[in-house]
């Protein structure tokens, strides 16, 4: 008994591992070229369909291509309507595995001849670098796939002597339903429709089952893939859920139509087999599989836009989820993951800049504490997501892009915290002491809007930097004048300290706006650093007596703040996000500390 079951189970396992390694190796080996091609050839639903079909046939994994397309949707690189066409194409492209098994795998004993590929692939994986390692993984996977198929084929003949598969129901609608359910359960157990179809083809080739039973099993395997899709949606983002639901609905509808039209599809397969001179065995079964998937394609493709809208209504976007496009499944594709995080940071920056602009234009307007709390959650999630993007040692551009995003997230966290301070210690921006600073901040926000909308140029960033430098210089001068009594006389020391604190707050807020825009732009150009603007400022000279007077008055940098520095001095190792405050423990202002 064990002499039969062990090779049977091992053959399925080798086939599954071979499929995974082959897919992983091919996707990594193709790298950015494959992803660029996917984006380029998904301009319309029909192009997306062709792209999905060809890509899945080449990489031999609908799961890998589907995860990639989920990342594209999350990152905003393609629309969901285009993704629907791609998903439909992956279902048709998935039939390529059956054609390979039927035409080559079962006709020729490739398992023996592909053994050297496993050894060569393992050596390339261990000794090679970069894409050579990925090629080694693909070669080893290719060899293991056919070795598993040969092992499965040999064990299937022995298994048929123990299990009477001929006892499965034959003929009639309910008989087809029973056999289909058997194929569905087999797919759920194996977690791979390709493995279930390969097992069915092997059973048909060894005459363990007949053609009608094999056809019902293939339909069950096609429907069984929807269960895996349901598991994917648990805890996933909206983009991932929508893509999975589209895949589920398509395969479910195609399977139901196939079981209803089962006799007609068998007749059509027989007719085509006779006219094209295809043998009615394994190749005929793959033709049957391709026919009913193709029928689903014909029914769905003219209505991809309507189908996409139906799924979007079924799973609406959550407005409160600012960083909802950060899907963990995209972490395996660093380029896509960093594009998704870039868009999340730009969205957060837009919300915070708009909040600050409202506060500047309408003094006394209450800051939306709920929005600040949502952005805090989104920033925490974005920072964690960016930190977990895996990169190889030779991916320098992506590494620089990730560092720039971490810097941008750090400044966004600090800027959000400054806005939070306004909810506990509001500043009366209507006062005459702040008008000049407000004008500079509003000008910077106007320029920053172009940065978050991807319209910023190097000149835009330089202008924002000059505004920040001017603001810093004027701030120092005004604080110096106030402390020396050259400015407007204040009624009390408390009012003087409040004014200097507010000026310092406006100055540092402007600095963070500049740095946020700088790093977002630097990240957007894929790691090519943006030239630093030359900031011309003339801070007033401070004598020892004046410095002592400022120290006595309590004028110092805000806790945790440093004077404006060049980004060249900011290293990736120094990036530590400020711990977000809670409503129970508001931040301490400079005046309160004094």
């Amino acid at each position: 008994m064990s002499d039969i079951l062990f090779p049977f189970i091992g053959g399925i396992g080798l086939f599954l591992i071979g499929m995974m390694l082959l897919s992983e190796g091919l996707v990594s080996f193709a790298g950015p070229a494959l992803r660029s091609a996917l984006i380029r050839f998904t301009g319309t639903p029909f192009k997306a369909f062709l792209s999905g079909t060809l890509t899945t046939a080449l990489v031999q994994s609908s799961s890998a291509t589907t995860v990639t397309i989920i990342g594209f949707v999350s990152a905003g690189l393609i629309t969901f309507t285009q993704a629907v066409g791609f998903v439909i194409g992956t279902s048709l492209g998935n039939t390529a595995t059956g054609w390979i098994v039927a035409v080559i795998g079962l006709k020729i004993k490739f398992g023996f001849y592909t053994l050297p590929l496993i050894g060569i692939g393992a050596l390339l994986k261990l000794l090679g670098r970069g894409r050579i390692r990925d090629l080694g993984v693909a070669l080893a996977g290719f060899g293991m796939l056919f070795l598993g198929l040969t092992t499965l084929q040999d064990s299937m003949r022995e298994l048929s002597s123990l299990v009477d598969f001929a006892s499965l129901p034959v003929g009639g609608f309910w008989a087809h339903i029973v056999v289909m359910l058997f194929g569905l359960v087999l797919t759920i157990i194996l977690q791979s429709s390709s493995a279930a179809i390969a097992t069915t083809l092997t059973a048909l080739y060894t005459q363990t089952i007949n053609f009608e039973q094999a056809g019902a099993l293939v339909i069950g395997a096609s429907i069984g893939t929807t269960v895996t899709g349901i598991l994917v949606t648990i805890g996933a983002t909206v983009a991932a859920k929508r893509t999975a639901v589209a895949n589920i609905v398509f395969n479910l509808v195609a399977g139901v139509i196939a079981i209803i039209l089962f006799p007609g599809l068998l007749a059509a397969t027989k007719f085509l087999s006779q006219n094209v001179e295809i043998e009615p065995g394994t190749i005929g079964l793959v033709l049957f599989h391709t026919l009913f998937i193709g029928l689903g394609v014909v029914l769905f493709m003219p209505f991809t836009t309507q189908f996409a809208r139906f799924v979007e209504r079924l799973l609406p976007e959550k407005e409160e989820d600012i960083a909802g496009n950060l899907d963990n499944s995209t972490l395996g594709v660093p380029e896509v993951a960093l594009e998704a995080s870039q868009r999340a940071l730009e969205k957060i920056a837009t919300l915070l800049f708009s909040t600050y602009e409202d506060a500047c234009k309408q003094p006394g307007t209450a800051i939306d504490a709920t929005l600040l709390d949502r952005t805090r959650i989104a920033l925490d999630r974005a920072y964690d997501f960016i930190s977990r993007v895996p990169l190889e040692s030779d991916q320098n551009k992506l590494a620089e892009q990730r560092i720039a995003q971490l810097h941008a997230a750090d400044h966004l966290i600090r800027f959000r915290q400054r806005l939070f301070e306004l909810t506990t210690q509001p500043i009366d921006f209507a006062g005459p002491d702040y008008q000049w600073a407000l004008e500079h901040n509003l000008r910077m926000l106007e320029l920053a809007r172009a940065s978050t909308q991807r319209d910023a140029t190097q000149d835009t960033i330089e202008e924002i930097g000059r505004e920040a430098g001017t603001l810093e210089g004027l701030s120092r001068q005004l604080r110096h004048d106030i402390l020396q009594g050259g400015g407007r006389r204040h009624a009390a020391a408390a009012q003087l300290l409040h004014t200097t604190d507010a000026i310092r707050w406006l100055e540092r807020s402007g600095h963070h706006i500049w740095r946020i825009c700088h790093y977002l732009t630097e990240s957007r150009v894929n790691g090519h650093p943006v030239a630093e603007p030359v900031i011309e400022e003339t801070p007033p000279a401070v004598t020892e007596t004046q410095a002592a007077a400022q120290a006595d008055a309590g004028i110092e940098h805000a806790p945790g703040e440093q004077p404006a520095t060049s980004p060249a001095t900011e290293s990736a190792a120094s990036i530590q996000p400020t711990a977000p405050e809670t409503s129970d423990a508001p931040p301490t202002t400079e005046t309160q500390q004094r």
Side-chain angles (χ1 to χ4, degrees), residues 61-305:
S61 174
S62 60
S63 299
T65 52
T66 300
V67 166
T68 303
I69 213 66
I70 287 173
F72 288 169
V73 177
S74 298
L77 298 176
I78 64 173
T79 64
F80 179 64
T81 302
Q82 294 168 333
V84 167
F86 188 92
V87 167
I88 295 174
T90 61
S91 296
L92 183 61
N94 207 31
T95 62
T97 304
W99 284 103
I100 294 173
V101 171
V103 175
I104 301 177
L106 296 175
K107 302 297 182 182
I108 306 173
K109 290 287 186 178
F110 262 104
F112 176 77
Y113 297 105
T114 55
L115 282 174
L117 291 180
I118 301 176
I120 295 173
L123 289 176
L124 291 178
K125 168 66 176 175
L126 293 174
L127 303 178
R129 290 186 176 182
R131 299 180 67 186
I132 298 299
R133 295 178 59 188
D134 300 328
L135 179 61
V137 173
L139 288 176
F142 185 78
M144 293 183 70
L145 186 150
F146 283 100
L147 177 62
L149 192 61
T150 300
T151 305
L152 184 64
Q153 184 178 346
D154 293 338
S155 63
M156 185 64 73
R157 291 191 176 94
E158 301 295 333
L159 186 64
S160 62
S161 63
L162 294 179
V163 181
D164 186 12
F165 289 98
S167 61
L168 289 172
V170 180
F173 178 78
W174 292 110
H176 299 156
I177 292 293
V178 172
V179 178
M180 181 200 70
L181 292 175
F182 185 82
L184 187 149
V185 172
L186 179 64
T187 304
I188 294 174
I189 294 174
L190 298 178
Q191 287 293 294
S192 170
S193 61
S194 296
I197 291 172
T199 304
T200 303
L201 286 168
T202 306
L204 179 62
Y205 182 76
T206 58
Q207 298 181 352
T208 305
I209 56 177
N210 60 40
F211 189 87
E212 188 174 334
Q213 292 171 329
L217 285 171
V218 168
I219 295 174
S222 179
I223 298 176
T225 58
T226 63
V227 177
T228 304
I230 293 173
L231 296 177
V232 170
T233 62
I234 299 176
T237 61
V238 174
K241 289 180 180 179
R242 286 176 175 173
T243 307
V245 166
N247 187 37
I248 290 169
V249 173
F250 174 79
N251 283 284
L252 188 61
V253 171
V256 171
I257 291 175
I259 203 68
I260 294 174
L261 302 178
F262 191 72
L265 288 170
L266 288 178
T269 303
K270 183 178 180 181
F271 174 79
L272 291 174
S273 299
Q274 291 174 348
N275 285 272
V276 189
E277 297 183 358
I278 295 177
E279 61 183 64
T282 53
I283 297 180
L285 181 61
V286 178
L287 178 61
F288 170 80
H289 183 204
T290 306
L291 274 178
F292 78 78
I293 293 294
L295 180 60
V297 171
V298 172
L299 293 176
F300 272 81
M301 280 306 297
F303 307 102
T304 51
T305 302

Side-chain angles (χ1 to χ4, degrees), residues 417 420-426 494 497-498 500-502 505 553-554 556 558-559 585-594:
Q417 185 168 343
F420 182 82
E421 292 174 5
L422 292 180
T423 63
T424 57
Q425 297 291 330
L497 293 176
H498 178 76
T500 55
D501 277 352
W505 188 95
E556 57 185 18
T588 305
T589 64
E590 296 176 12
T591 305
Q592 290 172 330
Q593 287 181 336
R594 298 190 188 98

Side-chain angles (χ1 to χ4, degrees), residues 433 436 473-483 499 503:
D433 291 323
W436 58 273
L474 292 174
S475 172
R476 290 179 181 176
Q477 181 66 54
L478 182 59
R479 283 186 294 157
H480 170 265
D481 291 343
I482 290 176
L483 291 173
T499 301
I503 292 172

